[in-house]
Amino acid sequence: MGIKAGLPRYELYLYYAVLGLAMLWSASWICEVSSANANRKTLKSSVRPGWYYFGRKKDTADLEWVMWFSTFREHILFALSGHVLFAKICSMLAPQHRSLVYMVYGVLAVWTSMGWAYVGLLLSHCVLLYSVSLVKLPWLCWVTGLSTLATFKCEPFVTWQAGLVEGDFDLRHILFYGGCGFTIMRCVSFSLENCVRREGSYSLLELLQYNFYLPHFFFGPVLTFDKFHVQVNRPVGSRKEGEMWSIGRHALFHLGGIVLVDVLFHFLYILSIPTDMKLLRHLSDWAIVGLAYTNLVYDWVKAAIMFGVINTVSRLDHLDPPKPPKCITTLYVFSETHFDRGINDWLCKYVYNHLGGNHCDVLKELVATLCTYSLTVLWLGPCPVVLLWASLNCLGLNLELWTAKLFSMEPLASFEMAMSAAMSRRIRAIFNTFNFWTIVLYNIVALNSADFAKLVAKRLLLKGFPFTTVAVMFVTYCLIQTIKEWERRQALLDDPDPLPPAPPSPATLFVTTASPAQDTPTAALPIAESGKKKAE
């Protein structure tokens, strides 16, 4: 049935209450385990002294978060602040050359942090893919781009290229692979867009301006070349009313998110505990399930904050960057699951939608998903965990299509049409409940480990059956219904239902009733014609 199907208010209040109590109950278990095992030897390397005000230790297991907001916080802020300053000066003095200033500042920042040999390596890849794009053969661009990307994932090429980077600092490894990987993705986007262009070709300078835009260079997100080219060459005019207020509000929101996550890390060791399998075997089912769920929520929060900080800088440059990823809590279908909207848009534009068409044909969908996840494996780096994660998500995406095809056939389609919209929503929510935990288990494989995913599945489906299984699935069902209610309200705001026709006024009723009593047929004729028009 439609997305606008509603449920009784008391039923929704029940779902809200059950969901809130379950979240608090699970968080209390995790907090208790964190406090009791703060001094455990196996967690000593990741649980370290935190803020003096709390008097508690802090979970520092996520090196990427520590790098961004603790260790190299000053360096990142200095680089982004310099970019904003130079961009503002250029937009006031020479707005038509702002893309060139972005490129010059980006090259200087990369050269200062990584050395001239690293800049030369990236320039060689850019020149290679630009030369191939001039032939305007998409398949040749794909072969060259994928081969170039493979050189950063396979020995001995990766060791030789990594040796070109100068210096020995903690951030070196991450900056090297981040800059190289995103450079290849941007160059492939440029090459494919150059093949599509009918008249002439884009210049090498435009590719360098696109690639060395500093806010997107090391960590993304990826903005496809066609969008970047239009936005960066757009005349810089006055901003819309309230735009700066919106940018400032989002910046304060991300700052508040950083502080909140840092505070929670002093009470909930959600990243360190899953690394100790011996400790996990002694935890309750609710603590295990809560750890699995909060790990996915944290990964989304981290991506949203990191991309949000970069997007704030991009919006100051009059660009429209990709939106943050959709909250993992609101995902119950594989087709919307992603943690990087930039990479997701890139893959959908050039691979998934290009091969899958309208995504109605089962065979085309299978080919599209296989090619998409094969490229994702190459992007992330082939290894057993990544291959397992890609295989499971590819299977889940295809199963969704097959299930939708099955339920659109008779007699199942007639059964759904015969029931009410509210009942159809409840039945769909039951299926979405199982799908939600499939998504959670599949993604835990990549975010944590296969052993932790096995333990969660065993506790949820085997050892905890039937009490834990039924309780967790009911709480998840309540979560799905709250998501569907939020989606229903958004749909009503975006496309409100038409208002019912207004009832006839008393004057109209009086005229219609009095018209047969009139003696003159000429007076009755217009009224009869108007009545006929109303009936039609």
Side-chain angles (χ1 to χ4, degrees):
M1 295 288 181
I3 193 176
K4 298 180 181 178
L7 294 177
R9 186 171 297 180
Y10 65 85
E11 184 177 347
L12 293 174
Y13 288 159
L14 173 65
Y15 296 150
Y16 294 144
V18 171
L19 182 61
L21 291 174
M23 293 287 187
L24 292 175
W25 177 253
S26 182
S28 67
W29 275 99
I30 299 175
C31 186
E32 182 180 347
V33 172
S34 301
S35 301
N37 296 274
N39 297 316
R40 190 178 177 89
K41 289 184 178 179
T42 54
L43 306 181
K44 191 175 181 180
S45 60
S46 56
V47 179
R48 299 176 181 177
W51 292 357
Y52 171 78
Y53 309 102
F54 294 110
R56 292 177 60 93
K57 292 186 176 181
K58 176 184 173 183
D59 191 347
T60 61
D62 190 352
L63 298 179
E64 192 175 15
W65 180 271
V66 174
M67 174 200 73
W68 258 81
F69 303 110
S70 295
T71 311
F72 294 97
R73 175 178 53 200
E74 293 80 8
H75 302 78
I76 295 173
L77 281 176
F78 178 77
L80 293 179
S81 301
H83 172 86
V84 172
L85 179 62
F86 277 96
K88 184 62 178 177
I89 295 174
C90 177
S91 63
M92 293 188 299
L93 300 179
Q96 68 275 15
H97 300 301
R98 61 192 182 105
S99 59
L100 187 62
V101 174
Y102 297 160
M103 182 198 71
V104 172
Y105 182 83
V107 171
L108 291 176
V110 175
W111 175 42
T112 304
S113 58
M114 304 293 287
W116 64 269
Y118 181 73
V119 176
L121 174 66
L122 296 182
L123 286 175
S124 65
H125 287 298
C126 292
V127 172
L128 173 62
L129 282 163
Y130 173 75
S131 303
V132 172
S133 70
L134 296 178
V135 185
K136 297 206 171 185
L137 294 176
W139 67 268
L140 186 59
C141 296
W142 274 114
V143 171
T144 307
L146 295 179
S147 302
T148 308
L149 184 61
T151 61
F152 294 102
K153 309 296 179 181
C154 305
E155 294 291 350
F157 306 103
V158 61
T159 303
W160 176 76
Q161 294 181 100
L164 299 176
V165 181
E166 299 175 358
D168 187 16
F169 52 98
D170 296 338
L171 204 59
R172 171 180 173 272
H173 182 78
I174 296 175
L175 294 182
F176 172 78
Y177 287 104
C180 293
F182 282 113
T183 292
I184 301 303
M185 300 292 276
R186 285 187 287 263
C187 288
V188 171
S189 175
F190 173 87
S191 301
L192 295 176
E193 295 297 335
N194 201 28
C195 292
V196 174
R197 189 174 186 180
R198 295 181 179 180
E199 298 181 0
S201 300
Y202 295 107
S203 65
L204 178 61
L205 182 61
E206 290 174 307
L207 171 58
L208 297 180
Q209 291 172 355
Y210 169 51
N211 183 60
F212 286 98
Y213 178 66
L214 184 62
H216 294 175
F217 182 79
F218 286 113
F219 306 106
V222 175
L223 189 65
T224 55
F225 176 75
D226 55 334
K227 295 180 180 178
F228 179 84
H229 185 261
V230 171
Q231 294 174 17
V232 81
N233 291 296
R234 199 163 43 196
V236 179
S238 59
R239 296 186 181 272
K240 298 178 182 178
E241 184 179 355
E243 185 177 358
M244 285 304 299
W245 166 250
S246 175
I247 295 175
R249 182 165 49 86
H250 279 84
L252 291 175
F253 176 78
H254 296 134
L255 180 61
I258 295 170
V259 175
L260 178 62
V261 171
D262 252 27
V263 170
L264 290 178
F265 274 160
H266 288 78
F267 298 92
L268 305 175
Y269 303 154
I270 58 174
L271 303 178
S272 297
I273 293 175
T275 61
D276 189 349
M277 295 301 299
K278 190 174 181 180
L279 173 62
L280 288 173
R281 293 188 180 94
H282 295 87
L283 301 185
S284 66
D285 295 342
W286 279 100
I288 296 292
V289 171
L291 283 171
Y293 176 73
T294 52
N295 266 261
L296 259 70
V297 172
Y298 163 73
D299 199 74
W300 168 80
V301 170
K302 180 180 71 173
I305 291 177
M306 290 172 60
F307 290 136
V309 173
I310 295 174
N311 290 350
T312 300
V313 178
S314 299
R315 291 179 65 187
L316 291 173
D317 293 337
H318 299 271
L319 298 183
D320 186 17
K323 296 180 180 179
K326 190 174 181 180
C327 180
I328 189 66
T329 303
T330 63
L331 294 178
Y332 51 84
V333 290
F334 280 92
S335 57
E336 297 182 359
T337 304
H338 58 269
F339 293 93
D340 186 339
R341 196 182 290 268
I343 294 292
N344 182 75
D345 294 344
W346 193 99
L347 291 171
C348 288
K349 177 179 176 63
Y350 297 118
V351 184
Y352 185 60
N353 292 335
H354 181 72
L355 297 176
N358 56 3
H359 304 289
C360 293
D361 186 83
V362 175
L363 183 59
K364 285 186 177 181
E365 181 74 4
L366 179 61
V367 172
T369 51
L370 286 174
C371 293
T372 302
Y373 280 104
S374 299
L375 182 56
T376 307
V377 168
L378 181 61
W379 160 255
L380 295 174
C383 65
V385 172
V386 174
L387 288 172
L388 178 61
W389 168 83
S391 302
L392 293 174
N393 280 273
C394 183
L395 175 63
L397 192 58
N398 282 278
L399 279 176
E400 278 187 353
L401 177 63
W402 301 340
T403 306
K405 285 282 187 183
L406 177 64
F407 279 86
S408 64
M409 299 168 62
E410 295 295 341
L412 297 177
S414 299
F415 289 158
E416 186 177 15
M417 293 300 296
M419 65 179 64
S420 64
M423 183 56 66
S424 173
R425 170 174 162 174
R426 296 186 184 101
I427 294 176
R428 283 178 175 267
I430 294 175
F431 286 97
N432 295 144
T433 298
F434 295 99
N435 207 37
F436 179 88
W437 274 103
T438 306
I439 294 173
V440 172
L441 291 174
Y442 286 1
N443 285 281
I444 284 176
V445 172
L447 295 179
N448 294 98
S449 65
D451 293 334
F452 181 54
K454 290 179 185 177
L455 179 64
V456 175
K458 187 182 294 185
R459 288 290 190 93
L460 186 60
L461 302 176
L462 299 177
K463 191 175 180 180
F465 187 84
F467 300 106
T468 302
T469 306
V470 174
V472 171
M473 291 303 171
F474 178 69
V475 172
T476 310
Y477 172 82
C478 297
L479 173 63
I480 299 297
Q481 288 291 11
T482 57
I483 298 169
K484 286 182 175 290
E485 181 63 20
W486 177 80
E487 291 176 345
R488 185 186 76 88
R489 294 179 180 179
Q490 288 296 120
L492 289 175
L493 291 175
D494 298 337
D495 183 22
D497 292 333
L499 297 174
S505 61
T508 306
L509 291 174
F510 174 76
V511 172
T512 307
T513 308
S515 59
Q518 299 199 7
D519 296 329
T520 56
T522 55
L525 184 60
I527 299 175
E529 289 181 354
S530 64
K532 182 180 179 181
K533 290 180 180 179
K534 289 181 180 180
E536 291 176 353

